[in-house]
């Protein structure tokens, strides 16, 4: 079923049963933790977040060269190079935001050791094609996402595509040189968010690099939940009991997790600090603000 038809079905369902559906699912969501309809109390300034992380990991401020990105974006015309992908992004601003994340990834991992590359939670992203275009066409590049047949991801490894959970990647220890994840980990449900970092520590070779962009943060950990997203996917997200929830259909995804400093230090950095060196990067400048990419996380295998 194509997206337009799914959208029509959802709208029809909401028109017929809107009040009953929302009442039922809101009751269900409240079982997992406190549920509100306003995210404002959870918002945090990136600088404040970084200040709270002092002493737990390296903090680096990075002034983004907006002119360099604009020049690169013209040279890498996504609508020409990745026509199928860009059809899903009629909004030029959103497409440009995706390109900005990809550009940052390439810049932040320049000079990293060679070997197998992963893009985790990539869905239909053309980043693997962009990476091969700019870096090395011969380097093995594996795309990883949940088993989603509609996107070509079947269970297990099938050539250069792996269908699996991000916390259970079927690759050998220390067999990967670089791992990227763009706008994805916030959708990892249940224990897969923290489990993803543990899995990266296992599969990265010494000197290997993990780069996550952007990092979604809050003053207190919470998750957006969306009935539109739930009905569109036709399944309920795995939510850890006690999670603070904010209901918003504007998000469009069933589940989107924003983490606080306690989550980052106690569930990610602390358990893995003997294996990974963590660097929290704060991006400044007009381009970073315009494209809403204020924080990234870089980790290097010791």
């Amino acid at each position: 079923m194509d997206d337009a038809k799914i959208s029509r079905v959802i709208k029809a369902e909401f028109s017929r049963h809107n009040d009953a559906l929302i009442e039922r699912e809101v009751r269900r969501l409240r079982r997992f933790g406190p549920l509100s309809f306003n995210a404002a109390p959870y918002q945090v300034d990136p600088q404040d977040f970084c200040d709270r992380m002092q002493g737990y990991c390296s903090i680096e401020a990075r002034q983004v060269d907006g002119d360099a990105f604009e020049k690169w974006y013209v040279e890498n015309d996504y609508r020409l190079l990745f026509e199928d992908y860009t059809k899903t992004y009629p909004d030029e601003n959103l497409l440009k935001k995706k390109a900005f994340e990809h550009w940052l990834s390439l810049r932040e991992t320049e000079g990293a050791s060679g070997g197998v590359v992963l893009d985790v939670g990539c869905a239909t992203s053309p980043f693997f094609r962009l990476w091969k275009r700019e870096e090395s066409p011969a380097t093995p590049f594996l795309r990883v996402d949940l088993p989603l047949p509609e996107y070509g991801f079947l269970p297990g490894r099938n050539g250069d595509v792996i269908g699996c959970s991000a916390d259970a990647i079927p690759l050998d220890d220390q067999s990967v040189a670089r791992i990227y994840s763009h706008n994805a980990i916030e959708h990892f449900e249940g224990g897969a968010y923290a489990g993803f970092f543990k899995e990266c520590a296992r599969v990265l070779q010494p000197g290997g690099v993990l780069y996550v962009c952007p990092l979604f943060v809050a003053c207190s950990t919470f998750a957006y939940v969306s009935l539109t997203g739930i009905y569109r996917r036709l399944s309920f997200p795995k939510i850890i009991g006690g999670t603070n929830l904010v209901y918003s259909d504007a998000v469009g995804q069933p589940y989107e997790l924003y983490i606080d400093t306690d989550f980052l230090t106690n569930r990610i950095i602390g358990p893995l600090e003997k294996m990974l060196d963590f660097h929290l990067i704060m991006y400044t400048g007009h381009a970073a603000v315009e494209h809403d990419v204020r924080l990234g996380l870089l980790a290097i295998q010791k």
Side-chain angles (χ1 to χ4, degrees):
M1 186 180 295
D2 61 29
D3 286 350
K5 190 168 183 180
I6 290 173
S7 179
R8 288 196 298 272
V9 170
I10 291 170
K11 288 177 181 177
E13 278 295 301
F14 274 22
S15 296
R16 288 195 297 269
H17 308 293
N18 188 44
D19 291 341
L21 285 170
I22 290 178
E23 183 180 352
R24 183 190 70 190
E25 297 301 350
V26 164
R27 284 201 306 269
R28 187 178 181 185
L29 288 168
R30 288 189 191 280
R31 297 205 303 266
F32 292 95
L35 176 67
S36 69
F37 296 84
N38 179 17
Y42 294 101
Q43 293 176 359
V44 65
D45 180 79
Q47 182 64 65
D48 290 343
F49 188 90
C50 290
D51 289 345
R52 296 176 194 177
M53 288 300 300
Q54 292 288 348
Y56 294 101
C57 68
S58 168
I59 311 292
E60 302 173 25
R62 195 91 82 235
Q63 177 75 29
V64 175
D65 187 341
D67 291 338
F69 167 66
E70 293 292 341
K71 181 175 183 294
W72 177 89
Y73 188 63
V74 171
E75 294 171 350
N76 294 272
D77 187 338
Y78 273 46
R79 296 202 181 278
L80 180 63
L81 295 174
F82 315 124
E83 184 178 358
D84 289 344
Y85 175 73
T86 57
K87 287 178 181 177
T88 61
Y89 291 99
D91 183 343
E92 181 67 26
N93 292 328
L94 184 54
L95 178 64
K96 201 170 184 180
K97 170 180 164 53
K98 296 294 184 183
F100 184 69
E101 294 167 6
H102 296 161
W103 176 75
L104 281 177
S105 292
L106 295 169
R107 302 288 84 79
E108 291 293 358
T109 60
E110 284 179 333
S113 57
V116 175
V117 181
L118 304 185
D119 189 2
V120 180
C122 58
T124 61
S125 171
F127 180 68
F128 74 103
R129 293 164 61 188
L130 181 69
W131 192 92
K132 284 179 173 286
R133 172 184 166 88
E134 291 214 359
E135 293 270 348
S136 171
T139 298
F141 194 115
L142 307 180
R143 292 176 291 145
V144 181
D145 212 321
L146 292 171
L148 300 166
E150 63 270 32
Y151 294 139
F153 290 85
L154 300 176
R157 180 171 178 178
N158 299 278
D160 293 337
V161 177
I162 302 176
C164 67
S165 176
D167 58 349
I169 301 172
L171 295 174
D172 293 337
D173 294 357
Q174 299 188 355
S175 61
V176 174
R178 304 188 203 185
I179 302 174
Y180 299 95
S181 191
H182 308 103
N183 238 136
I185 67 169
E186 64 274 11
H187 303 301
F188 295 172
E189 301 171 10
Y193 191 113
F196 163 68
F197 286 90
K198 182 178 180 180
E199 191 70 339
C200 290
R202 181 185 70 80
V203 302
L204 279 173
Q205 64 192 35
V209 173
L210 162 67
Y211 180 65
V212 172
C213 172
L215 187 68
F216 288 79
V217 300
C219 61
S220 181
T221 297
F222 81 97
Y224 276 116
V225 286
S226 161
L227 290 185
T228 298
I230 289 170
Y231 283 111
R232 189 174 189 279
R233 198 178 69 177
L234 302 179
S235 65
F236 204 82
K238 298 180 180 68
I239 302 174
I240 295 175
T243 302
N244 294 318
L245 303 176
V246 175
Y247 176 84
S248 174
D249 277 328
V251 175
Q253 294 285 345
Y255 177 88
E256 188 170 284
L257 184 69
Y258 286 60
I259 65 169
D260 62 13
T261 53
D262 286 342
F263 188 107
L264 184 56
T265 55
N266 296 328
R267 299 190 60 185
I268 297 173
I269 293 177
L272 298 174
E273 61 184 353
K274 293 182 180 180
M275 302 177 70
L276 298 172
D277 278 324
F278 286 91
H279 305 263
L280 182 62
I281 305 169
M282 183 177 70
Y283 297 106
T284 62
H286 175 73
V289 174
E290 179 185 11
H291 301 301
D292 195 24
V293 180
R294 303 303 310 281
L295 294 174
L297 188 64
L298 185 75
I300 303 172
Q301 180 75 295
K302 296 182 178 180

